[in-house]
Amino acid sequence: MAAETATLSLRKAIAAPDGFADVCNRYDWACAAGSKGQVRGKALLSLAREVNNAINHQYRQVTDRSQYGTEEVWALPTSSRGGDCEDFVLAKKHTLIEAGVAPGRLLIATVLDRRRALHAVLVLRTEEGDFVLDNLNNRVKGWQETGYSFLRMQNPDAPHRWNAVFKGGMFDRART
């Protein structure tokens, strides 16, 4: 796999997704930058697989409308009710940072899933490329394997900022 296709490249700055506005204030770790972490190499991907699977099984899926009475709330999943895709992403990011993964390797992204529904995933940036932790799949996959259309992603150098991506899924099909 070519290095340039293994990693999602960022385009111009873009607004954060709906509901993300106060995430950095409530959870400082969600917007932490930095490349220093104790977990690297094969251990990094192994840990990501464990965390993805554990979080996916720990919480149940529940919509923000059902849980909070509004369309879009980014918060950690609750033990009693669960959460939606953004909540799972935050739980995974927090757990991995606590386990020693450098925050700059963990980027929240919004995508269109295979049904073209808006969805959030966690992108793990490794030396081998970008991998996706997803509450809809227990298997951690390379971003190209997901079939998702990547819309925007946190900037690894300034995670409180977001950049357009426009890669994968329908974006790649449009070029062929």
Side-chain angles (χ1 to χ4, degrees):
M1 177 183 324
E4 65 187 61
T5 61
T7 303
L8 289 160
S9 55
L10 302 178
R11 294 178 178 226
K12 67 178 184 163
I14 194 169
D18 290 344
F20 186 81
D22 68 334
V23 167
C24 297
N25 292 331
R26 287 186 293 128
Y27 309 117
D28 59 345
W29 48 264
C31 298
S35 58
K36 292 194 172 144
Q38 300 101 336
V39 184
R40 293 191 174 99
K42 290 182 182 182
L44 180 61
L45 208 47
S46 178
L47 176 63
R49 288 182 181 113
E50 288 174 32
V51 168
N52 188 61
N53 198 36
I55 299 290
N56 286 354
H57 286 94
Q58 182 176 351
Y59 301 106
R60 70 181 186 88
Q61 299 268 347
V62 62
T63 65
D64 286 337
R65 170 71 55 206
S66 171
Q67 181 153 249
Y68 301 109
T70 189
E71 283 306 312
E72 204 58 56
V73 176
W74 288 51
L76 287 169
T78 61
S79 57
S80 62
R81 303 282 312 266
D84 66 359
C85 58
E86 301 94 17
D87 306 341
F88 280 69
V89 164
L90 289 170
K92 291 172 188 183
K93 185 167 185 166
H94 185 250
T95 302
L96 288 165
I97 290 170
E98 290 288 308
V101 176
R105 290 185 178 271
L106 301 167
L107 307 169
I108 302 170
T110 59
V111 302
L112 293 177
D113 67 17
R114 290 174 181 257
R115 296 177 321 228
R116 294 197 175 172
L118 199 55
H119 183 52
V121 296
L122 185 63
V123 173
L124 171 65
R125 187 152 276 182
T126 73
E127 287 76 18
E128 292 80 37
D130 290 345
F131 291 87
V132 175
L133 286 74
D134 187 354
N135 67 309
L136 300 179
N137 194 319
N138 290 325
R139 195 171 142 245
V140 173
K141 298 179 179 183
W143 73 268
Q144 311 93 320
E145 297 175 77
T146 65
Y148 293 164
S149 303
F150 285 77
L151 303 174
R152 66 182 118 202
M153 186 167 69
Q154 284 181 298
N155 183 314
D157 298 322
H160 61 287
R161 294 197 171 122
W162 288 70
N163 287 81
V165 177
F166 306 138
K167 291 291 271 182
M170 68 181 192
F171 299 113
D172 290 350
R173 284 191 293 275
R175 291 186 195 126
T176 58

